Amino acid sequence: MSTKYNPSIHNDARPNVGVTVVPFTYDLSACDLKVLIYRRPIDAEVFPGKIALPNGVYDRRVVSTAEEAAENALMDKLKIKIPHLDQLHTFTGNDIDPQRMNTINIAYSSLLRESEVVSFNDSVSDLEWISVKKLLATSSDMYAFNHKEVLEKAYERICSQAEYTPLTTNLLPKKFTIPDFKKIIEVLTGWELNNSRFRSRIKQSGVLKEVKGKSNDGFSKPAQLYKANPNYDGYFYPKSLTGVK
Amino acid sequence: MSTKYNPSIHNDARPNVGVTVVPFTYDLSACDLKVLIYRRPIDAEVFPGKIALPNGVYDRRVVSTAEEAAENALMDKLKIKIPHLDQLHTFTGNDIDPQRMNTINIAYSSLLRESEVVSFNDSVSDLEWISVKKLLATSSDMYAFNHKEVLEKAYERICSQAEYTPLTTNLLPKKFTIPDFKKIIEVLTGWELNNSRFRSRIKQSGVLKEVKGKSNDGFSKPAQLYKANPNYDGYFYPKSLTGVK
DNA sequence: GTAATAGTGTCTTTTAGACAGTATCGA
DNA sequence: TCGATACTGTCTAAAAGACACTATTAC
């Protein structure tokens, strides 16, 4: 690292670098977490027809950060400009690419609101929002690259974060109800939450802010709308998010 | 990523890739977290004389994973074979290297036992174990590359993990006392822990295993020795590690 | 004996858990 | 009115917090 930069000397040492994005959204009516995948073209030279997550090459002539490369990969698929991106993990090794290139794969997860992305479902035929639970039941050789491993890690992370951060509010509409918020945590953690506890914790912590308006599903009591408190920093009621029994 | 691998075509796109390791140890008698740094040579072409963390180039001809490159970087400095490595973050951009090369820096933290590394303190003159708190008070232009940023992130992570995982046991001797364990958590979190609570949690959780023998400092009651329970998985008493007042 | 730190017990306060009960909508 | 879900209150159980007390070492 201390030698002067000389492209012709250094190029040969350099590994192939790519980015992968795991775009999540949450289907509020089905209470199900979904991920965006595409099918590799039938005539692709590697992994034809396999399931893949949005990805791209990190080309230093085109981008200057990996976040930029990840944004471009999402943009390619969804035409979304400023997605919420979290760096997940950097995978390295010879077994990511079938040609056994020594590859570096910088993976991101992205939490998206259903309303912002769902319209693209039908228009592009190789794209699909698919239930994460269903997809994870699929054998890893149905996936391109190491994408099952990436998805597993991203899913594990999001479920774990649902326990102690309000990050999942990024998957809900901007205005949502407490039952919505409660439900998504229950879905991701597998717990059943105590209702009155949950509500008092929200009040105490200030994690949500009440906004004007009520939900109305047309056949039960309307619920107060809230938004995520943008100034809230830190854990979401550290630990008291324990389940019923 | 779908095009066949051809080095001559792809090389030009590839960024410079390096690894950085943040090696931590804990000075039990001073109750102080330390980090291993070296001074860049005076005649180095970049950052001469600056403070740097162990680092190295990721050369795809030499290593096949980033972990391997990180192990080599530590090995260079400390002759340690199998260090405990955690992937921290991957930094990317044009501002890591002064020549404004587009660089990818995969950073790791490493938790080391004092007994295993301290002997190298004196032998190599450009190496130094230095108090993290003191070092972080130093302006970022005393550091090489983005190494202050890397150190800050690693320190933040280790302090946060001290709250809810038993990871800090990797910084203690293999056999240690409950007061030792309590103290390191107090130092890293800045809390003062309730003694009887702390002990009952350790019993309940099974995070430690009692071993034969007692400590003896020569002037107070000897304390029972414990080791980290290798089968313990998950959080260390999720969240009940709250402080005194 | 004292100083010093290890380790336990016990009481009070806080928080979680269970669940009954009230509120507000559509039909 | 009823069915459905939102929301509140109250009692009990469990865990945290404060702190006094006992234990074991060197001197």
Side-chain angles (χ1 to χ4, degrees):
Chain A
M1 246 174 175
S2 65
T3 328
K4 208 145 206 165
Y5 177 49
N6 178 336
S8 60
I9 291 177
H10 288 93
N11 266 346
D12 226 36
R14 295 183 181 172
N16 184 48
V17 181
V19 294
T20 304
V21 182
V22 189
F24 287 116
T25 194
Y26 177 69
D27 180 340
L28 199 55
S29 49
C31 298
D32 198 24
L33 189 72
K34 305 207 161 185
V35 63
L36 183 77
I37 55 153
Y38 72 99
R39 306 278 170 172
R40 306 271 305 170
I42 299 298
D43 58 349
E45 294 194 38
V46 292
F47 297 112
K50 301 285 184 182
I51 295 164
L53 296 162
N55 58 342
V57 173
Y58 183 109
D59 186 330
R60 68 174 187 87
R61 297 164 305 185
V62 177
V63 296
S64 56
T65 66
E67 282 73 20
E68 211 182 315
E71 280 164 16
N72 290 348
L74 253 188
M75 185 66 170
D76 272 0
K77 298 293 176 197
L78 282 179
K79 323 298 176 213
I80 289 179
K81 284 236 170 101
I82 310 160
H84 174 281
L85 283 178
D86 284 317
Q87 197 183 106
L88 186 63
H89 191 75
T90 298
F91 300 87
T92 62
N94 289 318
D95 41 345
I96 295 172
D97 191 286
Q99 295 158 323
R100 301 193 70 73
M101 293 158 63
N102 189 313
T103 295
I104 292 186
N105 179 19
I106 309 173
Y108 289 83
S109 69
S110 178
L111 308 186
L112 303 167
R113 295 181 209 290
E114 200 185 3
S115 59
E116 291 167 354
V117 292
V118 133
S119 54
F120 294 96
N121 266 13
D122 311 311
S123 54
V124 190
S125 61
D126 67 334
L127 280 182
E128 193 179 346
W129 283 103
I130 187 169
S131 161
V132 174
K133 282 207 165 172
K134 273 188 199 163
L135 187 56
L136 282 177
T138 308
S139 153
S140 69
D141 46 55
M142 298 296 289
Y143 294 77
F145 308 101
N146 65 331
H147 285 185
K148 186 173 187 182
E149 185 186 6
V150 176
L151 176 63
E152 277 171 342
K153 191 138 188 161
Y155 183 58
E156 204 178 277
R157 169 87 57 97
I158 198 177
C159 290
S160 158
Q161 285 176 330
E163 292 181 17
Y164 57 90
T165 78
L167 218 88
T168 44
T169 53
N170 290 297
L171 292 166
L172 296 172
K174 290 212 167 158
K175 297 178 180 183
F176 54 89
T177 68
I178 288 181
D180 289 341
F181 188 36
K182 176 166 173 275
K183 188 69 189 179
I184 193 172
I185 295 174
E186 291 181 326
V187 168
L188 293 180
T189 62
W191 299 340
E192 186 191 346
L193 299 179
N194 179 301
N195 192 27
S196 59
R197 250 331 40 226
F198 187 75
R199 285 169 181 277
S200 64
R201 272 304 187 176
I202 285 172
K203 273 201 176 162
Q204 274 180 43
S205 67
V207 68
L208 302 186
K209 271 195 176 309
E210 195 175 315
V211 293
K212 290 214 187 274
K214 306 226 172 196
S215 78
N216 196 334
D217 64 357
F219 70 109
S220 63
K221 180 177 175 179
Q224 182 61 49
L225 292 175
Y226 292 81
K227 63 171 183 177
N229 179 351
N231 301 315
Y232 188 80
D233 187 32
Y235 296 129
F236 170 44
Y237 38 80
K239 214 22 209 215
S240 47
L241 234 191
T242 45
V244 173
K245 208 170 247 169
Chain B
M1 247 176 175
S2 64
T3 328
K4 208 147 209 166
Y5 177 47
N6 178 335
S8 61
I9 291 176
H10 287 94
N11 266 346
D12 226 34
R14 296 184 180 175
N16 184 48
V17 181
V19 295
T20 304
V21 182
V22 188
F24 286 116
T25 195
Y26 177 69
D27 182 339
L28 199 55
S29 49
C31 298
D32 197 24
L33 188 73
K34 304 206 161 185
V35 63
L36 183 77
I37 55 153
Y38 72 99
R39 305 278 171 174
R40 307 270 306 169
I42 298 298
D43 58 350
E45 295 194 38
V46 291
F47 297 113
K50 300 286 183 183
I51 295 164
L53 297 162
N55 58 341
V57 173
Y58 183 109
D59 186 330
R60 70 174 186 87
R61 298 163 306 184
V62 176
V63 295
S64 57
T65 66
E67 282 73 18
E68 212 182 315
E71 281 165 15
N72 290 348
L74 252 189
M75 183 70 170
D76 273 358
K77 297 294 175 197
L78 283 180
K79 322 297 176 213
I80 289 179
K81 285 234 172 104
I82 310 162
H84 175 280
L85 283 178
D86 284 317
Q87 198 184 106
L88 184 63
H89 191 76
T90 297
F91 300 87
T92 61
N94 289 320
D95 41 344
I96 295 173
D97 192 286
Q99 295 160 324
R100 303 193 68 73
M101 293 158 64
N102 189 313
T103 294
I104 291 186
N105 178 20
I106 309 173
Y108 290 83
S109 69
S110 179
L111 308 186
L112 303 167
R113 293 179 210 290
E114 199 183 4
S115 59
E116 290 166 354
V117 293
V118 134
S119 55
F120 294 96
N121 265 13
D122 311 312
S123 55
V124 189
S125 62
D126 67 335
L127 281 183
E128 193 179 346
W129 283 103
I130 187 168
S131 161
V132 174
K133 283 207 165 173
K134 272 187 198 161
L135 187 55
L136 282 178
T138 309
S139 153
S140 69
D141 46 55
M142 298 296 289
Y143 295 77
F145 308 102
N146 65 330
H147 286 186
K148 185 172 188 185
E149 185 186 5
V150 176
L151 176 62
E152 277 172 342
K153 190 135 186 162
Y155 182 58
E156 202 177 278
R157 168 89 55 99
I158 198 178
C159 290
S160 159
Q161 285 176 330
E163 291 180 18
Y164 58 90
T165 78
L167 219 90
T168 44
T169 53
N170 291 297
L171 292 165
L172 296 171
K174 290 211 169 158
K175 297 177 181 184
F176 54 88
T177 69
I178 287 182
D180 289 341
F181 187 38
K182 175 165 174 276
K183 187 70 191 178
I184 193 172
I185 295 173
E186 291 181 328
V187 167
L188 293 180
T189 62
W191 297 341
E192 186 191 347
L193 299 179
N194 179 301
N195 191 28
S196 59
R197 264 299 69 214
F198 187 75
R199 286 169 180 277
S200 63
R201 272 303 188 176
I202 284 172
K203 274 199 175 163
Q204 275 180 41
S205 66
V207 68
L208 302 186
K209 272 194 176 309
E210 194 175 315
V211 294
K212 290 213 187 277
K214 306 228 172 199
S215 78
N216 195 335
D217 66 357
F219 69 108
S220 65
K221 180 177 174 179
Q224 182 61 50
L225 291 175
Y226 293 82
K227 63 172 183 177
N229 180 352
N231 301 316
Y232 188 80
D233 187 32
Y235 297 130
F236 170 44
Y237 38 78
K239 226 42 203 181
S240 47
L241 234 190
T242 45
V244 174
K245 207 170 245 168

